[in-house]
């Protein structure tokens, strides 16, 4: 392979300059910044497992996972688990997968079916909470609890994820600290199951919204600054 | 009476309306709803007793399964 000796020398020079500056890239600065935050994940199925992995990869310091279910073969078509994890608790499987992707994250796994008092106790020190339940009754319970008892903590919910396609119908809607992601109409049913692409789309939308909330006061430092 | 419903301006033909009547008129048929009235969470038991007034801001979220 022909390599232009001038460009190679130039590239080496730039690399050496970067090392000398010891300046952190914007990505590293963001990861450092996010390490101070705690995010609660209520439910570790299609929404919760995928959102949690995305937040772990960007460096959110502490994740509180809550779910009572066990990984079954039926979870594997859309949730962030693997075949050799069937039979494990979802919170333990997800904790293991997060640690593989980013060992720096502090993960607390709670094997629990959340009720109102648990939500208040568990999430009271969170910076943001993600609602990722499958049942509508559970969604209502956590929204009602957070709006009533922890209204200062942003709650990012996923509503309307079933089916496939309809990318443009998925939207975000904000009402103070309640942030709604999804199409708000596609309910899970026998005729309209949940599939990996669309639940992943909404899960990552939730994670992206959390990142935006956590980074609202972030200011990146350039190499020129002290 | 003009109100804001889910970020859209709505002109209602009558001047007296409860949250319950609004939900029925606008066909929010799902069993489980979240309703906020001027930013305040309203419990289901209070839908009937909560009257709307000119300029109110109502947020309704229908809760559906899937997650």
């Amino acid at each position: 392979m022909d390599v232009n000796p001038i460009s190679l020398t130039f590239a080496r020079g730039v690399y050496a300059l970067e090392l000398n500056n010891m300046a952190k890239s914007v990505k590293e600065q963001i990861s450092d910044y996010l390490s101070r935050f705690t995010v609660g994940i209520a439910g570790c199925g299609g929404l919760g497992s995928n959102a949690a992995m995305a937040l772990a990869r960007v460096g959110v310091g502490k994740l509180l996972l809550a779910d009572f279910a066990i990984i079954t073969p039926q979870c594997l078509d859309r949730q962030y688990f693997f075949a050799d994890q069937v039979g494990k608790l979802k919170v333990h499987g997800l904790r293991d997968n997060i640690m593989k992707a980013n060992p720096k994250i502090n993960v607390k796994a709670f094997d629990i079916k959340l009720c109102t008092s648990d939500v208040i106790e568990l999430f009271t020190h969170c910076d943001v909470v993600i609602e990722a339940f499958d049942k509508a009754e559970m969604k209502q319970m956590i929204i009602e609890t957070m709006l009533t008892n922890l209204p200062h903590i942003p709650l990012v919910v996923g509503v309307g994820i079933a089916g496939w396609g309809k990318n443009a119908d998925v939207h975000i809607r904000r009402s103070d600290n309640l942030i709604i992601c999804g199409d708000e109409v596609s309910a899970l049913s026998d005729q309209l199951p949940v599939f990996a692409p669309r639940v992943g789309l909404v899960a990552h939308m939730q994670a992206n919204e959390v990142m935006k909330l956590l980074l609202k006061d972030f200011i990146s430092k350039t190499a020129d600054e002290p | 009476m003009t109100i804001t419903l889910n970020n859209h301006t709505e002109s209602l033909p009558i001047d007296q309306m409860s949250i319950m009547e609004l939900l029925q008129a606008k066909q929010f048929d799902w069993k489980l709803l979240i309703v906020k009235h001027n930013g305040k969470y309203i419990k289901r038991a209070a839908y009937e007793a909560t009257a709307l007034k000119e300029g109110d801001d109502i947020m309704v979220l229908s809760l559906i399964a899937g997650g």
Side-chain angles (χ1 to χ4, degrees):
Chain A
M1 188 177 68
D2 289 337
V3 178
N4 180 340
I6 296 171
S7 65
L8 194 63
T9 308
F10 178 70
R12 281 187 183 133
V14 169
Y15 181 60
L17 201 65
E18 280 181 358
L19 278 182
N20 284 343
N21 277 341
M22 292 299 284
K24 287 188 172 176
S25 68
V26 172
K27 220 171 196 188
E28 288 168 319
Q29 290 176 44
I30 286 174
S31 182
D32 286 353
Y33 187 84
L34 290 175
S35 70
R36 73 193 67 183
F37 295 111
T38 300
V39 174
I41 311 280
C44 297
L47 289 174
S49 65
N50 287 297
M53 286 302 292
L55 293 174
R57 290 185 195 280
V58 295
V60 172
K62 189 172 178 183
L63 296 173
L64 306 184
L65 313 176
D67 199 305
F68 64 96
I70 283 170
I71 303 164
T72 64
Q74 291 73 35
C75 300
L76 302 180
D77 65 2
R78 64 194 186 283
Q79 305 181 15
Y80 214 117
F81 302 112
F82 301 96
D84 63 355
Q85 295 181 309
V86 168
K88 276 188 176 183
L89 279 167
K90 285 187 179 180
V91 286
H92 290 165
L94 186 55
R95 182 182 60 195
D96 293 347
N97 297 340
I98 287 170
M99 298 317 284
K100 280 186 195 167
N102 189 348
K104 282 190 283 189
I105 307 302
N106 180 357
V107 185
K108 298 283 180 227
F110 297 94
D111 166 24
I112 189 170
K113 183 172 181 181
L114 289 172
C115 66
T116 297
S117 57
D118 301 324
V119 169
I120 298 167
E121 194 183 329
L122 208 61
F123 296 143
T124 191
H125 297 301
C126 286
D127 296 289
V128 185
V129 173
I130 285 186
E131 176 283 316
F133 291 127
D134 53 356
K135 291 192 172 59
E137 291 80 6
M138 291 294 281
K139 288 178 186 290
Q140 190 188 38
M141 182 278 293
I142 193 171
I143 297 171
E144 184 174 313
T145 304
M146 295 287 295
L147 289 180
T148 309
N149 298 281
L150 303 171
H152 57 288
I153 302 175
L155 176 67
V156 183
V157 306
V159 179
I161 60 161
W164 60 93
K166 296 184 178 176
N167 275 329
D169 290 1
V170 173
H171 59 254
I172 190 152
R173 180 156 76 100
R174 295 180 181 83
S175 173
D176 302 316
N177 269 341
L178 176 64
I179 298 126
I180 302 149
C181 300
D183 70 10
E184 300 191 44
V185 291
S186 299
L188 163 71
S189 69
D190 291 341
Q191 285 70 42
L192 198 67
V194 175
F195 295 97
R198 208 153 188 264
V199 70
L201 180 71
V202 176
H204 284 98
M205 202 169 187
Q206 289 178 284
N208 195 27
E209 189 61 23
V210 170
M211 196 172 167
K212 179 186 143 183
L213 289 164
L214 298 180
L215 289 177
K216 67 179 190 297
D217 297 323
F218 171 77
I219 301 160
S220 74
K221 291 184 182 66
T222 64
D224 302 333
E225 288 177 275
Chain B
M1 172 166 59
T2 303
I3 62 159
T4 303
L5 175 62
N6 286 346
N7 301 324
H8 295 288
T9 304
E10 292 276 350
S11 295
L12 304 173
I14 49 173
D15 284 339
Q16 301 235 317
M17 200 178 225
S18 69
I19 284 184
M20 181 67 101
E21 287 164 336
L22 175 75
L23 295 174
Q24 285 164 351
K26 293 295 167 186
Q27 296 174 321
F28 284 100
D29 297 333
W30 292 94
K31 260 193 323 191
L32 298 169
L33 299 174
I34 295 291
V35 176
K36 283 167 80 180
H37 178 217
N38 295 329
K40 187 172 164 264
Y41 176 70
I42 305 293
K43 289 193 179 218
R44 175 169 279 266
Y47 289 174
E48 236 158 319
T50 306
L52 298 175
K53 59 181 190 315
E54 178 72 26
D56 275 357
D57 181 39
I58 305 292
M59 194 281 308
V60 184
L61 168 63
S62 303
L63 296 174
I64 55 180

